[in-house]
């Protein structure tokens, strides 16, 4: 057997995947498992999207598209920014990608040389660290504090910036806390990072899933930023693996060349579906689902408060709450594993979202199942906590 690369050897496991595998084993044995660990809405892809995909396939529209995506989809994305978010985005700034993961790889490959630093909030989505390392970048954790609900400020970015930092990556809403940053705050961050000779990379893949404040985009404040997004979360197209990025015009030719070489093109049927996802019929369905998620969020917030399990983030967006279970355990992975075995409730341990031991205090709960299932999960959790 050939020797593994240093990168492949050092990529850590995704802890939640071990729990998910065990949950699937329990389900196969006839156990009823409630899934609060999976960052995937339980809604089907909207019917207008499926109809567009079927129509594309029926008419043989299944060959390669341009590497940057169908011109009609790039125009539809740009129009959506203009009409829904008041952002003056042109189709030429949009590159359609194989999921948001593909967008991240292209953006980092375009911006990072080996040894360049990338600031990543901690806690944060764990795969981002691996995308940075894949292009030879240096992960620079920007450790946030539970004392201010893991909120990120512009001062935090400036204080964490190092001599070799080239990119600061932030998310709004973010995973795992569900916290949001206003477009105005993000605009200030972009200006501050530019002043340091760097680039702000903003993850907006949960755009549209916000509660209390209207959805927005940093692109309404500035176009001197790189934004990634996805049809997975709000648009309920996870398995179709389609995302996009918006970049300053000067960056787009290099990103397009990278896309040609790394991915050839995004999924063609999915792109035709995505055009329909941005039309009124789909958006009406998606907004109804957004309201369902708002009710689920409140159900989970109320239940955790009743159980005296502190929620340590504002959780104003996405479909996650980040909770402190240190009153019951000093090892959230062991807590989640035991809860799964004894109560049939699956959660994500905080250890997945940061590299410090302090994350053993926390769990992430996804309210991606129905209110009745959430209520049952809270009932089971209550009985489990009584046994500790």
């Amino acid at each position: 057997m050939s020797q593994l690369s240093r990168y492949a050897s050092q990529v850590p496991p995704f802890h939640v995947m071990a729990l998910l595998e065990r949950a699937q084993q329990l389900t196969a044995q006839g156990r009823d498992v409630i899934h609060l660990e999976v960052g995937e809405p339980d809604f089907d892809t909207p019917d207008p999207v499926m109809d567009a995909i079927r129509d594309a396939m029926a008419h043989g529209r299944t060959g390669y598209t341009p590497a940057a995506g169908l011109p009609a989809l790039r125009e539809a994305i740009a129009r959506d920014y203009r009409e829904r978010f008041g952002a003056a985005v042109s189709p030429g700034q949009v590159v359609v990608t194989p999921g948001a993961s593909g967008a991240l790889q292209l953006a980092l490959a375009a911006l990072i040389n080996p040894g360049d630093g990338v600031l990543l909030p901690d806690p944060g989505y764990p795969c981002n660290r691996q995308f940075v390392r894949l292009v030879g970048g240096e992960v620079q954790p920007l450790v946030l504090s539970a004392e201010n609900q893991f909120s990120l400020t512009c001062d935090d970015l400036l204080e964490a910036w190092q001599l070799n930092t080239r990119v600061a990556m932030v998310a709004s809403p973010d995973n795992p806390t569900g916290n949001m940053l206003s477009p105005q705050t993000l605009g200030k961050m972009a200006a501050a990072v530019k002043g340091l000779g760097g680039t702000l990379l903003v993850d907006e893949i949960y755009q549209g899933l916000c509660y209390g404040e209207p959805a927005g985009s940093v692109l309404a404040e500035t176009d001197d930023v790189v934004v990634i997004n996805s049809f997975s979360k709000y648009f309920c197209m996870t398995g179709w693996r389609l995302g996009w990025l918006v970049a300053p015009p000067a960056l787009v030719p290099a990103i397009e060349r990278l896309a040609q070489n790394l991915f050839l093109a995004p999924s063609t049927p999915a792109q035709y579906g995505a055009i329909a996802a941005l039309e009124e019929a789909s958006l009406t369905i998606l907004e109804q689902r957004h309201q369902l998620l708002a009710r689920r969020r409140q159900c989970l917030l109320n239940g955790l408060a009743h159980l005296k399990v502190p929620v340590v983030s504002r959780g104003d967006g996405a479909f996650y709450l980040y909770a402190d279970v240190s009153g019951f355990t000093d090892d959230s992975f062991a807590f989640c594993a035991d809860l799964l075995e004894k109560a049939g409730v699956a959660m994500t341990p905080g250890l997945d979202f940061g590299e410090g031991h302090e994350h053993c205090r926390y769990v992430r709960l996804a309210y991606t199942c129905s209110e009745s299932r959430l209520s049952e999960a809270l009932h089971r959790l209550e009985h489990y906590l009584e046994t500790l």
Side-chain angles (χ1 to χ4, degrees):
M1 177 180 176
S2 300
Q3 185 176 355
L4 284 174
S5 70
R6 185 180 300 109
Y7 173 77
S9 301
Q10 293 177 353
V11 170
F14 216 161
H15 291 87
V16 70
M17 297 310 295
L19 293 171
L20 180 60
E21 181 179 0
R22 180 56 182 157
Q24 292 169 340
Q25 291 172 353
L26 292 173
T27 299
Q29 295 169 13
R31 290 277 303 277
D32 177 38
V33 175
I34 302 176
H35 294 276
L36 307 185
E37 86 283 23
V38 179
E40 179 176 36
D42 62 342
F43 308 121
D44 293 334
T45 299
D47 286 343
V49 177
M50 292 300 299
D51 290 342
I53 292 170
R54 293 188 191 100
D55 183 70
M57 296 174 70
H59 288 86
R61 295 193 288 268
T62 57
Y64 290 134
T65 69
L70 286 167
L73 178 55
R74 298 173 75 187
E75 170 56 43
I77 292 170
R79 183 172 60 249
D80 190 59
Y81 276 109
R82 295 193 298 269
E83 294 178 354
R84 282 207 294 159
F85 305 114
V89 174
S90 71
Q93 291 176 261
V94 178
V95 177
V96 185
T97 61
S101 297
L104 270 168
Q105 291 176 63
L106 290 172
L108 290 170
L111 295 169
I112 295 299
N113 288 311
D116 287 347
V118 180
L119 286 176
L120 297 176
D122 181 339
Y125 182 57
C127 296
N128 291 343
R129 300 192 291 270
Q130 308 316 321
F131 292 136
V132 172
R133 290 169 180 145
L134 184 62
V135 296
E138 176 189 328
V139 174
Q140 297 175 335
L142 200 172
V143 179
L144 304 176
S145 171
E147 293 179 0
N148 66 344
Q149 299 181 300
F150 298 109
S151 298
L152 174 67
T153 68
C154 192
D155 286 343
D156 293 330
L157 284 185
L158 295 176
E159 290 173 9
W161 198 268
Q162 300 179 39
L163 289 176
N164 68 328
T165 306
R166 295 293 177 268
V167 169
M169 182 177 173
V170 301
S172 181
D174 81 0
N175 176 8
T177 71
N179 287 342
M180 292 174 57
L181 297 166
S182 71
Q184 295 77 21
T185 297
L186 288 166
K188 291 178 181 176
M189 289 180 175
V193 167
K194 180 182 179 182
L196 294 168
T199 302
L200 187 70
L201 175 58
V202 183
D203 171 348
E204 293 185 344
I205 73 169
Y206 294 97
Q207 184 183 53
L209 297 176
C210 46
Y211 315 99
E213 295 293 328
S217 172
V218 64
L219 292 165
E221 299 294 319
T222 177
D223 61 1
D224 207 3
V225 65
V226 176
V227 170
I228 65 163
N229 212 318
S230 172
F231 286 97
S232 289
K233 308 299 185 179
Y234 180 76
F235 295 96
C236 304
M237 293 178 64
T238 50
W240 294 100
R241 307 311 305 133
L242 197 69
W244 74 90
L245 63 80
V246 180
L251 277 178
V252 172
I255 291 172
E256 190 167 0
R257 291 197 306 273
L258 287 164
Q260 291 166 350
N261 282 276
L262 297 179
F263 300 118
L264 295 184
S267 163
T268 299
Q271 290 187 71
Y272 282 102
I275 295 171
L278 292 165
E279 294 172 351
E280 191 62 34
S282 296
L283 292 174
T284 299
I285 294 169
L286 295 169
E287 186 52 32
Q288 292 169 349
R289 294 175 175 184
H290 173 213
Q291 296 305 317
L292 284 176
L293 286 169
R295 292 202 293 270
R296 294 176 181 185
R297 172 179 176 270
Q298 195 59 53
C299 173
L300 193 54
L301 281 169
N302 293 343
L304 292 173
H306 171 73
L307 298 178
K308 295 182 171 54
V309 176
V311 174
V312 292
S313 63
R314 296 189 310 273
D316 295 329
F319 33 63
Y320 307 117
L321 296 177
Y322 209 47
D324 186 345
V325 292
S326 61
F328 309 97
T329 182
D330 61 0
D331 184 343
S332 63
F333 181 82
F335 176 89
C336 290
D338 196 49
L339 177 66
L340 176 60
E341 295 292 336
K342 294 179 178 176
V345 177
M347 298 179 184
T348 303
L351 193 60
D352 270 339
F353 302 108
E355 299 186 333
H357 180 73
E358 66 273 11
H359 294 290
C360 288
R361 298 171 55 97
Y362 307 111
V363 296
R364 189 196 71 181
L365 301 90
Y367 42 94
T368 50
C369 57
S370 68
E371 288 180 72
S372 62
R373 293 292 278 171
L374 286 174
S375 296
E376 174 61 22
L378 288 163
H379 178 70
R380 295 184 191 183
L381 177 59
E382 181 175 24
H383 282 286
Y384 172 77
L385 295 178
E386 289 172 352
T387 69
L388 298 180

